[in-house]
Amino acid sequence: MSRWTWTLGLLAAGCTSRPAAPPVEARVAPLALPAPAPDLDPAPDAVRVRLTAERTSEAPLRYAYNGQRPGPVIRANVGDRLTVELTNGLPAPTTIHWHGVQVPWAMDGVPWMSAPVPAGGQFTYEFNLLHPGTFWYHPHFDTEKQVDAGLYGLLIVDDPAEPAADDEVLLVFDADDEHRPATDDLPDGDPGRPAHGHGGRAAHWTVNGEPGPVQWTGRGGQRVRVRMLNASNTGYLALTWPGLRQIAGDQGLLPAPQTPDVVVLAPGDRAEFEWLLGREGFTLDRLPWSLNGGRTYAEAEPLVDVVVEAPADAPAPLALPYPGGAPSADPPYSDLIYTFSGSDRTGIWLINGERFPDVTIDSVAVGQRPVLEIRNVSASHHPFHIHGMRFEILSIDGAPPPYRRVEDTIDVGIRQRVRVQLWPDEPGDWMAHCHLLPHADDGMMTVLRVRP
Ligand code: C2O
Ligand code: CU
């Protein structure tokens, strides 16, 4: 019995003289996986889906894609051509950005670069999927507001060469006390719309749209592939569970599986794990974590209770095609430096002392492998994200990472210095920003030009 059901059992035993019935497990809502988007193209190497961004009937007002939150799971194989027909049913313009996916610049969904889709309008996104991994999609117009209102979903690119797991669990986390009332009825600055959220100490997390904890039931002997996304605007997720085994990060398989005690997912981060189910269930706990100082001493919060039916010996892990390889050497120079500064007190957040859109545009060439140093001189963490390209972590505060890490979103801790090698392979003017969406909205964004 996991800690959570044990606690419930104790509570139940305390308020009744009879043994608790029905089973205490029934009191925790079962985990519902987000429904997939149907593929409307019969061709084997093409996937076509329709997404409608719309208001839901909820109060306070929320948004959703196709009426579901998280949005439909878009699923394709690496090498496929993906077509997404977006209908904008919102009373405001919108776009879709394909977070972590290398797309042609015109498909990136950034309104400064290509016109947003007006209210009532339509746009068709179309691109080839070059890399496998767990990605996600969300608007990039009035991003803080529209993502917070519920517009986000998973985009999973499978590699058919990988052996299939016995089961799969998708976990999209969001922090539900970020939601603001009547998101599209109140202009910025209206007293009814609270000021930008800072601090990120979101207390209540949802799992696939439901308040945690939720319960998932598997069978002993199963190998389960678990994909996670932190879709929250400001909340960091520090997660722990017994037997934590990470197999992939933002950009597909790690060089080899890793077994840290705790995994931290910053806003925008994804990761994949393997659950090797044996004789006992376990609980995924969220450890308290503050933007302004990391781990805190408050109590852990259970988010997912894993129950094992038909206990059996734990299976051997899947033989996934881990790429191996050591981190690249960190050279003694930088091609680019981004200094992150600002404060909650001023509500102004800057890169190199500049506030978007009034920024200097640096440029690099396609195929180059420039070294970017990110210096955080502020008293807050910042998840750095850049569009259109992947990057490899070269060092964090001078030390190489413990394994070769290829990412599109990386947490930069307080006073930390993170050095990365960028892999620009698509020409365009790519956004680079903090993925704490209020920080991005307050100015912590810049542009990197990639010349053909
Ligand atoms: Cu997840 Cu610029 O975005
Ligand atoms: Cu930030």
mmCIF file with all atom_site columns, all heavy atoms in Angstrom, residues 97 99 136 138 140 385 387 433 435, ligand 1:
data_model
loop_
_atom_site.group_PDB
_atom_site.id
_atom_site.type_symbol
_atom_site.label_atom_id
_atom_site.label_alt_id
_atom_site.label_comp_id
_atom_site.label_asym_id
_atom_site.label_entity_id
_atom_site.label_seq_id
_atom_site.pdbx_PDB_ins_code
_atom_site.Cartn_x
_atom_site.Cartn_y
_atom_site.Cartn_z
_atom_site.occupancy
_atom_site.B_iso_or_equiv
_atom_site.pdbx_formal_charge
_atom_site.auth_seq_id
_atom_site.auth_comp_id
_atom_site.auth_asym_id
_atom_site.auth_atom_id
_atom_site.pdbx_PDB_model_num
ATOM   1  N  N   . HIS A 1 97  ? 2.954  27.478 -31.404 1.00 0.00 ? 97  HIS A N   1
ATOM   2  C  CA  . HIS A 1 97  ? 4.398  27.264 -31.401 1.00 0.00 ? 97  HIS A CA  1
ATOM   3  C  C   . HIS A 1 97  ? 4.664  25.812 -31.054 1.00 0.00 ? 97  HIS A C   1
ATOM   4  O  O   . HIS A 1 97  ? 4.025  25.252 -30.165 1.00 0.00 ? 97  HIS A O   1
ATOM   5  C  CB  . HIS A 1 97  ? 5.065  28.201 -30.374 1.00 0.00 ? 97  HIS A CB  1
ATOM   6  C  CG  . HIS A 1 97  ? 6.494  27.841 -30.112 1.00 0.00 ? 97  HIS A CG  1
ATOM   7  N  ND1 . HIS A 1 97  ? 7.438  27.843 -31.104 1.00 0.00 ? 97  HIS A ND1 1
ATOM   8  C  CD2 . HIS A 1 97  ? 7.140  27.451 -28.978 1.00 0.00 ? 97  HIS A CD2 1
ATOM   9  C  CE1 . HIS A 1 97  ? 8.610  27.473 -30.586 1.00 0.00 ? 97  HIS A CE1 1
ATOM   10 N  NE2 . HIS A 1 97  ? 8.443  27.230 -29.301 1.00 0.00 ? 97  HIS A NE2 1
ATOM   11 N  N   . HIS A 1 99  ? 7.004  23.657 -29.455 1.00 0.00 ? 99  HIS A N   1
ATOM   12 C  CA  . HIS A 1 99  ? 8.113  23.805 -28.514 1.00 0.00 ? 99  HIS A CA  1
ATOM   13 C  C   . HIS A 1 99  ? 9.064  22.605 -28.582 1.00 0.00 ? 99  HIS A C   1
ATOM   14 O  O   . HIS A 1 99  ? 8.665  21.478 -28.316 1.00 0.00 ? 99  HIS A O   1
ATOM   15 C  CB  . HIS A 1 99  ? 7.543  23.968 -27.095 1.00 0.00 ? 99  HIS A CB  1
ATOM   16 C  CG  . HIS A 1 99  ? 8.570  24.205 -26.046 1.00 0.00 ? 99  HIS A CG  1
ATOM   17 N  ND1 . HIS A 1 99  ? 8.539  25.292 -25.190 1.00 0.00 ? 99  HIS A ND1 1
ATOM   18 C  CD2 . HIS A 1 99  ? 9.657  23.496 -25.687 1.00 0.00 ? 99  HIS A CD2 1
ATOM   19 C  CE1 . HIS A 1 99  ? 9.577  25.223 -24.370 1.00 0.00 ? 99  HIS A CE1 1
ATOM   20 N  NE2 . HIS A 1 99  ? 10.261 24.137 -24.639 1.00 0.00 ? 99  HIS A NE2 1
ATOM   21 N  N   . TRP A 1 136 ? 5.899  19.615 -27.157 1.00 0.00 ? 136 TRP A N   1
ATOM   22 C  CA  . TRP A 1 136 ? 4.560  20.123 -26.852 1.00 0.00 ? 136 TRP A CA  1
ATOM   23 C  C   . TRP A 1 136 ? 4.247  21.334 -27.696 1.00 0.00 ? 136 TRP A C   1
ATOM   24 O  O   . TRP A 1 136 ? 5.134  21.877 -28.374 1.00 0.00 ? 136 TRP A O   1
ATOM   25 C  CB  . TRP A 1 136 ? 4.385  20.378 -25.364 1.00 0.00 ? 136 TRP A CB  1
ATOM   26 C  CG  . TRP A 1 136 ? 5.176  21.466 -24.693 1.00 0.00 ? 136 TRP A CG  1
ATOM   27 C  CD1 . TRP A 1 136 ? 6.538  21.583 -24.640 1.00 0.00 ? 136 TRP A CD1 1
ATOM   28 C  CD2 . TRP A 1 136 ? 4.648  22.555 -23.929 1.00 0.00 ? 136 TRP A CD2 1
ATOM   29 N  NE1 . TRP A 1 136 ? 6.885  22.678 -23.883 1.00 0.00 ? 136 TRP A NE1 1
ATOM   30 C  CE2 . TRP A 1 136 ? 5.752  23.296 -23.438 1.00 0.00 ? 136 TRP A CE2 1
ATOM   31 C  CE3 . TRP A 1 136 ? 3.358  22.978 -23.611 1.00 0.00 ? 136 TRP A CE3 1
ATOM   32 C  CZ2 . TRP A 1 136 ? 5.591  24.446 -22.645 1.00 0.00 ? 136 TRP A CZ2 1
ATOM   33 C  CZ3 . TRP A 1 136 ? 3.204  24.111 -22.824 1.00 0.00 ? 136 TRP A CZ3 1
ATOM   34 C  CH2 . TRP A 1 136 ? 4.312  24.830 -22.351 1.00 0.00 ? 136 TRP A CH2 1
ATOM   35 N  N   . HIS A 1 138 ? 1.868  25.076 -27.943 1.00 0.00 ? 138 HIS A N   1
ATOM   36 C  CA  . HIS A 1 138 ? 1.129  26.098 -27.186 1.00 0.00 ? 138 HIS A CA  1
ATOM   37 C  C   . HIS A 1 138 ? 1.131  27.390 -27.991 1.00 0.00 ? 138 HIS A C   1
ATOM   38 O  O   . HIS A 1 138 ? 1.946  27.550 -28.896 1.00 0.00 ? 138 HIS A O   1
ATOM   39 C  CB  . HIS A 1 138 ? 1.745  26.298 -25.791 1.00 0.00 ? 138 HIS A CB  1
ATOM   40 C  CG  . HIS A 1 138 ? 3.157  26.811 -25.782 1.00 0.00 ? 138 HIS A CG  1
ATOM   41 N  ND1 . HIS A 1 138 ? 3.487  28.122 -26.037 1.00 0.00 ? 138 HIS A ND1 1
ATOM   42 C  CD2 . HIS A 1 138 ? 4.339  26.191 -25.543 1.00 0.00 ? 138 HIS A CD2 1
ATOM   43 C  CE1 . HIS A 1 138 ? 4.799  28.285 -25.945 1.00 0.00 ? 138 HIS A CE1 1
ATOM   44 N  NE2 . HIS A 1 138 ? 5.353  27.128 -25.648 1.00 0.00 ? 138 HIS A NE2 1
ATOM   45 N  N   . HIS A 1 140 ? 1.832  31.301 -29.050 1.00 0.00 ? 140 HIS A N   1
ATOM   46 C  CA  . HIS A 1 140 ? 2.918  32.252 -28.777 1.00 0.00 ? 140 HIS A CA  1
ATOM   47 C  C   . HIS A 1 140 ? 2.425  33.674 -28.981 1.00 0.00 ? 140 HIS A C   1
ATOM   48 O  O   . HIS A 1 140 ? 3.200  34.585 -29.256 1.00 0.00 ? 140 HIS A O   1
ATOM   49 C  CB  . HIS A 1 140 ? 4.147  31.960 -29.640 1.00 0.00 ? 140 HIS A CB  1
ATOM   50 C  CG  . HIS A 1 140 ? 5.424  32.029 -28.870 1.00 0.00 ? 140 HIS A CG  1
ATOM   51 N  ND1 . HIS A 1 140 ? 5.995  33.217 -28.497 1.00 0.00 ? 140 HIS A ND1 1
ATOM   52 C  CD2 . HIS A 1 140 ? 6.199  31.045 -28.372 1.00 0.00 ? 140 HIS A CD2 1
ATOM   53 C  CE1 . HIS A 1 140 ? 7.108  32.955 -27.817 1.00 0.00 ? 140 HIS A CE1 1
ATOM   54 N  NE2 . HIS A 1 140 ? 7.251  31.647 -27.721 1.00 0.00 ? 140 HIS A NE2 1
ATOM   55 N  N   . HIS A 1 385 ? 14.938 28.968 -22.912 1.00 0.00 ? 385 HIS A N   1
ATOM   56 C  CA  . HIS A 1 385 ? 14.440 28.207 -24.068 1.00 0.00 ? 385 HIS A CA  1
ATOM   57 C  C   . HIS A 1 385 ? 14.768 28.978 -25.328 1.00 0.00 ? 385 HIS A C   1
ATOM   58 O  O   . HIS A 1 385 ? 14.652 30.198 -25.364 1.00 0.00 ? 385 HIS A O   1
ATOM   59 C  CB  . HIS A 1 385 ? 12.911 28.029 -23.951 1.00 0.00 ? 385 HIS A CB  1
ATOM   60 C  CG  . HIS A 1 385 ? 12.257 27.473 -25.177 1.00 0.00 ? 385 HIS A CG  1
ATOM   61 N  ND1 . HIS A 1 385 ? 12.662 26.307 -25.786 1.00 0.00 ? 385 HIS A ND1 1
ATOM   62 C  CD2 . HIS A 1 385 ? 11.216 27.925 -25.932 1.00 0.00 ? 385 HIS A CD2 1
ATOM   63 C  CE1 . HIS A 1 385 ? 11.902 26.070 -26.854 1.00 0.00 ? 385 HIS A CE1 1
ATOM   64 N  NE2 . HIS A 1 385 ? 11.019 27.040 -26.961 1.00 0.00 ? 385 HIS A NE2 1
ATOM   65 N  N   . HIS A 1 387 ? 14.069 28.873 -29.654 1.00 0.00 ? 387 HIS A N   1
ATOM   66 C  CA  . HIS A 1 387 ? 13.273 28.257 -30.720 1.00 0.00 ? 387 HIS A CA  1
ATOM   67 C  C   . HIS A 1 387 ? 14.176 27.751 -31.842 1.00 0.00 ? 387 HIS A C   1
ATOM   68 O  O   . HIS A 1 387 ? 15.282 28.240 -32.029 1.00 0.00 ? 387 HIS A O   1
ATOM   69 C  CB  . HIS A 1 387 ? 12.316 29.295 -31.325 1.00 0.00 ? 387 HIS A CB  1
ATOM   70 C  CG  . HIS A 1 387 ? 11.220 29.732 -30.408 1.00 0.00 ? 387 HIS A CG  1
ATOM   71 N  ND1 . HIS A 1 387 ? 10.018 30.204 -30.876 1.00 0.00 ? 387 HIS A ND1 1
ATOM   72 C  CD2 . HIS A 1 387 ? 11.133 29.778 -29.058 1.00 0.00 ? 387 HIS A CD2 1
ATOM   73 C  CE1 . HIS A 1 387 ? 9.238  30.524 -29.849 1.00 0.00 ? 387 HIS A CE1 1
ATOM   74 N  NE2 . HIS A 1 387 ? 9.895  30.287 -28.729 1.00 0.00 ? 387 HIS A NE2 1
ATOM   75 N  N   . HIS A 1 433 ? 14.204 32.929 -24.891 1.00 0.00 ? 433 HIS A N   1
ATOM   76 C  CA  . HIS A 1 433 ? 13.542 33.597 -23.764 1.00 0.00 ? 433 HIS A CA  1
ATOM   77 C  C   . HIS A 1 433 ? 13.495 32.730 -22.529 1.00 0.00 ? 433 HIS A C   1
ATOM   78 O  O   . HIS A 1 433 ? 13.768 31.531 -22.570 1.00 0.00 ? 433 HIS A O   1
ATOM   79 C  CB  . HIS A 1 433 ? 12.129 34.049 -24.163 1.00 0.00 ? 433 HIS A CB  1
ATOM   80 C  CG  . HIS A 1 433 ? 11.185 32.950 -24.566 1.00 0.00 ? 433 HIS A CG  1
ATOM   81 N  ND1 . HIS A 1 433 ? 10.398 32.290 -23.653 1.00 0.00 ? 433 HIS A ND1 1
ATOM   82 C  CD2 . HIS A 1 433 ? 10.907 32.413 -25.785 1.00 0.00 ? 433 HIS A CD2 1
ATOM   83 C  CE1 . HIS A 1 433 ? 9.661  31.386 -24.314 1.00 0.00 ? 433 HIS A CE1 1
ATOM   84 N  NE2 . HIS A 1 433 ? 9.954  31.439 -25.594 1.00 0.00 ? 433 HIS A NE2 1
ATOM   85 N  N   . HIS A 1 435 ? 11.304 30.768 -19.910 1.00 0.00 ? 435 HIS A N   1
ATOM   86 C  CA  . HIS A 1 435 ? 9.985  30.120 -20.028 1.00 0.00 ? 435 HIS A CA  1
ATOM   87 C  C   . HIS A 1 435 ? 9.127  30.269 -18.773 1.00 0.00 ? 435 HIS A C   1
ATOM   88 O  O   . HIS A 1 435 ? 8.085  29.624 -18.648 1.00 0.00 ? 435 HIS A O   1
ATOM   89 C  CB  . HIS A 1 435 ? 10.098 28.657 -20.454 1.00 0.00 ? 435 HIS A CB  1
ATOM   90 C  CG  . HIS A 1 435 ? 9.036  28.245 -21.433 1.00 0.00 ? 435 HIS A CG  1
ATOM   91 N  ND1 . HIS A 1 435 ? 7.735  28.010 -21.063 1.00 0.00 ? 435 HIS A ND1 1
ATOM   92 C  CD2 . HIS A 1 435 ? 9.074  28.083 -22.777 1.00 0.00 ? 435 HIS A CD2 1
ATOM   93 C  CE1 . HIS A 1 435 ? 7.033  27.692 -22.138 1.00 0.00 ? 435 HIS A CE1 1
ATOM   94 N  NE2 . HIS A 1 435 ? 7.815  27.735 -23.195 1.00 0.00 ? 435 HIS A NE2 1
HETATM 95 CU CU1 . C2O B 2 .   ? 7.408  27.079 -25.152 1.00 0.00 ? 1   C2O B CU1 1
HETATM 96 CU CU2 . C2O B 2 .   ? 8.814  30.538 -26.947 1.00 0.00 ? 1   C2O B CU2 1
HETATM 97 O  O1  . C2O B 2 .   ? 8.084  28.821 -26.066 1.00 0.00 ? 1   C2O B O1  1
#
